[in-house]
Amino acid sequence: MCAPEYFAVEYAINPWMDVTTGVDVVLAVKQWDRLRDTLVGLGHEVHVLTPQAGLPDMVFAANGAFVVDGTVYGAQFKHEQRAAEAAAHRAFYQEHGWHFIAPSETNEGEGDFAYLPEAHGGLVLAGHGFRTELLAHAEAQEALGRPVVSLRLVDPRFYHLDVALASIDDGNVAYFPGAFSAASQRVLTQLFPDAVLADDEDALAFGLNLVSDGANVVLNSEATRLAGKLKAAGYTPVPVELAELKKGGGSVKCCIAELRP
């Protein structure tokens, strides 16, 4: 995770960002602190990346890389405003001894990649259409040695896979069908017949931008119906409020890069 000390909406690179809307940095830090404390309270270890002035979106740490079994596939951001973040993430992983593979293709880390180790023997779901290039899916497959299923995003409000779909345990997902092309919807139905489906209201509340340890699901507090569906499916919803960070187009998952040794 990376604290939002320099968080601001200084540019608009997704439909949620409005440069005329003010950001309360003190409140953003408080909400981020609660998210970190929630994870620690659930028994998880949190590493913190040092934020850098001039990179207001560094709080969205999930976009910096994608990690599977100790191998790190680095990010190459689409927009120049975020390009310098990639080096900060690379330095973190290399300093901690991770095997880092630099990308040649545009991709935004866990923003557009999700890993399910028990789905069909180990499967990477990968989004494209707005931020990550389709060629990056093939590059990730070679880097990580895992089969990659490409899913086409068609609604600009769901510009990353992680605002439209989330792994809720090692073999299942929750997602919003309307974010995907008709063909990708059919693929998801075949792969995950027992998936938890979100409605448009909860999806637009960033409810799917969640993290799950297979039992506890930390998600945006606004996504009340999705929380109910997750509870009915046997999970424990853990709501957190991240309204200030939502102004940048992200929520729980965007703030968390998952480390998979």
Side-chain angles (χ1 to χ4, degrees):
M1 298 180 70
C2 183
E5 293 177 19
Y6 301 107
F7 178 60
V9 181
E10 299 174 348
Y11 45 79
I13 58 174
N14 67 59
W16 304 96
M17 302 177 85
D18 181 353
V19 296
T20 67
T21 300
V23 169
D24 185 335
V25 177
V26 173
L27 179 57
V29 171
K30 286 182 179 178
Q31 292 177 346
W32 181 89
D33 281 340
R34 289 192 204 107
L35 174 59
R36 182 190 57 188
D37 291 346
T38 297
L39 296 173
V40 172
L42 291 171
H44 302 292
E45 183 180 1
V46 177
H47 300 263
V48 178
L49 182 67
T50 302
Q52 297 181 18
L55 297 175
D57 278 341
M58 267 191 78
V59 63
F60 301 129
N63 303 150
F66 178 52
V67 184
V68 174
D69 289 346
T71 296
V72 183
Y73 175 54
Q76 182 171 291
F77 288 85
K78 177 177 181 178
H79 297 287
E80 61 178 356
Q81 294 95 329
R82 298 195 66 184
E85 294 177 39
H89 286 276
R90 178 173 185 165
F92 169 86
Y93 288 108
Q94 291 182 327
E95 287 168 7
H96 286 79
W98 294 73
H99 175 49
F100 186 92
I101 297 177
S104 298
E105 305 296 340
T106 299
N107 82 90
E108 299 198 346
E110 284 199 315
D112 274 321
F113 289 104
Y115 182 53
L116 292 100
E118 294 181 5
H120 307 278
L123 198 64
V124 174
L125 302 180
H128 69 100
F130 298 103
R131 295 291 189 86
T132 293
E133 296 297 327
L134 195 55
L135 286 173
H137 296 185
E139 187 174 64
Q141 181 168 272
E142 289 300 309
L144 302 171
R146 296 291 185 278
V148 174
V149 175
S150 297
L151 301 169
R152 184 173 169 235
L153 298 163
V154 295
D155 186 329
R157 297 172 299 179
F158 304 100
Y159 60 95
H160 272 156
L161 181 71
D162 72 359
V163 292
L165 177 148
S167 62
I168 49 177
D169 59 36
D170 286 346
N172 201 12
V173 300
Y175 69 97
F176 172 55
F180 299 92
S181 69
S184 293
Q185 289 182 43
R186 290 195 293 273
V187 169
L188 286 167
T189 298
Q190 292 175 52
L191 290 175
F192 305 103
D194 299 320
V196 175
L197 302 183
D199 60 28
D200 56 352
E201 185 173 329
D202 279 350
L204 292 170
F206 285 82
L208 289 163
N209 195 239
L210 59 81
V211 293
S212 173
D213 58 17
N216 305 290
V217 182
V218 183
L219 76 167
N220 194 295
S221 58
E222 296 178 40
T224 54
R225 282 198 296 277
L226 179 58
K229 290 180 180 180
L230 289 165
K231 186 175 182 179
Y235 303 91
T236 300
V238 183
V240 294
E241 184 178 345
L242 286 177
E244 208 62 24
L245 292 174
K246 186 179 172 184
K247 295 176 180 178
S251 188
V252 175
K253 176 56 192 171
C254 286
C255 294
I256 300 165
E258 296 183 52
L259 305 178
R260 304 178 184 89

